[in-house]
Amino acid sequence: MNQPRVLITGAHGQIGSVLTKSLRRRYGADNILATDIRDIHDPEGQFAQLDALDAKRLLDLIDTYRIDVVYHLAAILSAKGEQIPQQAWQINMDSLFNVLEAAKNKQLQLFFPSSIAVFGENTPRDDTPQETIMQPSTVYGISKLAGENWCQYYYLKYGVDVRSIRYPGIIGYQSLPGGGTTDYAVDIYHKAMLAEPFTCFLAPDMKLPMMYMDDAIRATIELMEAPINQIRVRTAYNLSGMCFSPQEQAQAIRKWKPDFSISYAPDFRQQIAASWPNSIDDSVAQQDWGWKPEYNLDRMTQEMLEQLKNKYQAQKA
Ligand code: AKB
């Protein structure tokens, strides 16, 4: 079987960097083109600098590398978006139009990451359903909700095979997040590993949906490889991994690091988090393409601490 030829935007980001490695392993490094606005040499495979707002360069790369699938991960996240609302809207929407148009004109398959940020204060908080009230309170959430609807529009109107997931907060040891409201849940493990106290910018009981990176990458690839007749949702699928508060995460960390200390100084990100669900109902993703998470809080915590220990030891050596 011919392997797909893939272009990834935002390949140096938190999810992009891990997804790029996984796709290289799966389809062969020669079939993957990593792109990012930051021109950092990539020793492991093909890389091209790309500002996803540059439609012409995007099309040139698609032609040159004979691309048939695009994973469009470049975006401004929730917390950073609130500092630069108009720029965040422009970057998130214009870059999406560039990849949607490319997908339409060149018959590409497209992955668009949505987020739990599409939900808002009026959304039911617990087991948030696939179809529900959606009135997001952040620019990021508004752009993701509009993006979902544009994706569905391109599917219905032009037959573009675009697929999407509403990611919860993603936690991994491989990369650092940037500009998100759920970033604390990664930083906390680094502090625990360095035996430093951690100050959390969310309140102790602020429960949010989260997912371990391995589950998120597997979900993304499973969704993209699922037979087309199983994909009934063309906005974005709800996806659930686990849900916990900073207090519960700190308790889990203390099972391996009993001296770990946490304090709380909620800032503007607490208000964003408070408008998001506590937990997600992902039964539609389960039914349609067989989604099932593998990690819970304890398993993830153990693996994060082990992997970060190895990482910090390797840096010292
Ligand atoms: C963020 O916090 O902005 C992201 C997200 C939940 O989409 N991690």
Side-chain angles (χ1 to χ4, degrees):
M1 200 188 83
N2 280 351
Q3 300 290 15
R5 294 184 59 83
V6 177
L7 182 150
I8 302 151
T9 71
H12 289 329
Q14 186 203 9
I15 299 176
S17 55
V18 188
L19 182 68
T20 300
K21 278 190 180 18
S22 290
L23 293 176
R24 281 179 178 152
R25 275 196 301 271
R26 195 167 180 82
Y27 302 136
D30 290 350
N31 290 315
I32 309 300
L33 177 66
T35 75
D36 198 282
I37 195 162
R38 288 162 292 179
D39 192 1
I40 306 170
H41 173 65
D42 188 341
E44 289 174 19
Q46 307 182 101
F47 174 79
Q49 194 273 341
L50 171 69
D51 177 348
L53 295 176
D54 185 344
K56 182 175 176 310
R57 175 139 172 88
L58 173 70
L59 291 175
D60 284 349
L61 290 172
I62 287 170
D63 286 341
T64 307
Y65 288 85
R66 293 176 288 110
I67 296 299
D68 26 53
V69 183
V70 173
Y71 288 77
H72 176 47
L73 300 181
I76 302 289
L77 298 191
S78 57
K80 184 162 177 209
E82 293 310 286
Q83 316 295 335
I84 47 164
Q86 290 181 353
Q87 217 181 322
W89 173 259
Q90 189 223 342
I91 291 172
N92 290 358
M93 296 313 294
D94 289 358
S95 66
L96 174 61
F97 279 121
N98 288 345
V99 291
L100 279 169
E101 277 295 298
K104 178 183 94 177
N105 293 325
K106 299 194 177 278
Q107 281 89 47
L108 313 176
Q109 192 194 26
L110 178 61
F111 177 77
F112 168 68
S114 187
S115 161
I116 52 165
V118 294
F119 301 116
E121 270 159 28
N122 300 329
T123 305
R125 283 279 145 78
D126 296 312
D127 285 329
T128 301
Q130 175 70 41
E131 304 284 347
T132 184
I133 301 166
M134 296 167 101
Q135 292 172 340
S137 59
T138 60
V139 174
Y140 173 66
I142 300 170
S143 75
K144 288 295 179 187
L145 182 56
E148 284 188 10
N149 283 300
W150 274 110
C151 287
Q152 179 172 251
Y153 181 89
Y154 270 69
Y155 168 72
L156 293 172
K157 189 107 179 171
Y158 308 117
V160 174
D161 182 8
V162 48
R163 305 179 183 197
S164 177
I165 281 171
R166 293 176 183 145
Y167 285 129
I170 306 297
I171 299 167
Y173 61 89
Q174 303 94 327
S175 52
L176 287 171
T181 303
T182 58
D183 293 9
Y184 92 85
V186 179
D187 298 341
I188 194 172
Y189 288 117
H190 286 263
K191 291 289 187 198
M193 188 38 68
L194 295 166
E196 289 175 13
F198 179 66
T199 306
C200 184
F201 56 70
L202 299 186
D205 58 351
M206 187 62 256
K207 222 182 182 79
L208 285 173
M210 299 280 182
M211 179 172 283
Y212 191 48
M213 180 68 84
D214 289 27
D215 273 344
I217 299 295
R218 187 169 53 81
T220 306
I221 296 175
E222 282 177 9
L223 171 69
M224 289 298 276
E225 290 185 350
I228 197 158
N229 59 1
Q230 289 178 13
I231 307 302
R232 289 183 304 155
V233 174
R234 292 295 180 163
T235 48
Y237 279 98
N238 274 9
L239 200 69
S240 175
M242 57 189 98
C243 42
F244 54 78
S245 64
Q247 197 169 248
E248 288 164 339
Q249 194 180 9
Q251 270 159 18
I253 289 173
R254 283 198 197 102
K255 291 183 191 164
W256 287 273
K257 299 263 166 204
D259 297 334
F260 176 63
S261 119
I262 185 166
S263 57
Y264 299 90
D267 64 17
F268 73 101
R269 289 168 282 193
Q270 167 60 27
Q271 210 183 339
I272 299 177
S275 74
W276 290 353
N278 297 328
S279 60
I280 299 285
D281 173 359
D282 64 2
S283 49
V284 179
Q286 293 175 32
Q287 281 156 26
D288 282 8
W289 45 279
W291 166 242
K292 198 168 182 299
E294 286 178 359
Y295 285 82
N296 60 20
L297 177 57
D298 278 344
R299 185 171 172 210
M300 173 178 78
T301 299
Q302 187 177 14
E303 197 164 309
M304 281 295 289
L305 293 174
E306 264 173 37
Q307 295 286 356
L308 287 178
K309 187 170 152 196
N310 297 340
K311 210 170 170 169
Y312 281 115
Q313 275 174 353
Q315 275 171 15
K316 265 200 222 149

